[in-house]
Amino acid sequence: MFNFMMNEYSPNYYIGVMSGTSLDGVDIALMDFAKNPPKMIACDFFPMPEELRSDISALLKTGETNLQKLGEIDHRLGLLYAETINAFLAKNQLTAENIQAIGCHGQTVWHSPDSAYPFTTQIGDMNLVAAKTGITTIGDFRRKDMAVGGQGAPLVPAFHQAIFSEPNRLTVVLNIGGISNISVLKPNSPTIGYDVGAGNTLMDSWIEQHQGKRYDKNGEWARSGQIIPNLLIELLNEPFFSKVPPKSTGRELFNLTWLAKKLENFTAWKPENVQRTLAEFTAKSIANELIALQTELPCLLLVCGGGARNPLLMERLADLLPNWNVTTTTEFGLDIDYVEAAAFAWLAYQRMHSLPSNMPSVTGAKKAVSLGVIYPAE
């Protein structure tokens, strides 16, 4: 909780809302854009109801549903976002009148930027969010970028540039969520950013299948196993890694079906050894990208997302990247769990002021545009 009654300045509050591929819940960040650079004032996490999580997970695993069920999940997500935002406001002694706008990413259920008819789909009814909170809401951030030739992802590098870039170092911001993505902030060069592979999604799915757990806490199960060298080579042979950026991916590629095909040639494996190999796969796929990027400048890696809480992943990144200072965004002012939510508050701010918020150097779009659809409160 914080004290809203401040006389030194006039706050300019925006809320960012994010639910990622891990499906664990909803992240909310309150940002003040009267500050320079913008400052995170409060943040919180709200677990996703199990029934809703299960329904979305089933949809993501197959990509198959019917229109009735899809519409109902869309509605339920909209209600969840609204309920969590209202709970967040009450907890922090705020009202709708204190907030300029909400930036809500929605839940990605399919992302297909390279198909014959490129598209991306995020669900969660923003009309409900605006109506139930009484706050203007911005959603549907990705499709405008795709409409002008971009991948629709990643969208946060512009925010990372505003917050973390420095003229005398190479800074890479690494988000390890369900998928790993990076923002590359190199002095005197265009900012670039792209997905670098599976983050937590394969590890989470594997441990859930074999132990019924949502995730491998502290990488403990992985530590009990041993790397399967030939499997690791097979995983890293995925054609996605040889693609030239801009590129993006998701659970539509890195899923248990994909893993099962990779395992077909390996008969005598133990589940914990596969888990250890998946952890190494995540770390190696990231490190391979960063080694190719490093320069003579000091190299700083800022890690955020759920993977930053996995000591095994952090240890392996430090071991694989001896020329990098490997740390977290928390050490630089933004909690590791809420960087993406903060970014969508920034995207909402940009949209409300009709300012560009994509980066053609990142997404491959033909031009910079202001992203997001505005859903007025009234």
Side-chain angles (χ1 to χ4, degrees), residues 24-96:
D24 55 347
V26 179
D27 298 326
I28 299 181
L30 176 70
M31 298 293 292
D32 185 1
F33 290 95
K35 300 284 188 177
N36 187 22
K39 183 179 180 181
M40 184 182 290
I41 303 298
C43 55
D44 212 339
F45 170 79
F46 297 85
M48 184 172 290
E50 181 56 39
E51 184 178 356
L52 180 57
R53 178 187 180 275
S54 178
D55 287 345
I56 298 171
S57 181
L59 172 60
L60 292 175
K61 285 176 181 176
T62 65
E64 297 179 357
T65 187
N66 59 61
L67 293 177
Q68 179 69 27
K69 190 157 192 174
L70 182 62
E72 290 177 356
I73 295 174
D74 180 61
H75 186 103
R76 290 157 63 194
L77 265 172
L79 291 179
L80 175 65
Y81 293 141
E83 289 165 2
T84 55
I85 292 165
N86 285 333
F88 178 84
L89 292 174
K91 184 175 181 179
N92 290 285
Q93 299 180 355
L94 291 166
T95 66

Side-chain angles (χ1 to χ4, degrees), residues 130-143:
K132 298 290 185 180
T133 63
I135 302 170
T136 295
T137 301
I138 296 94
D140 194 8
F141 287 98
R142 299 188 184 275
R143 292 197 295 177

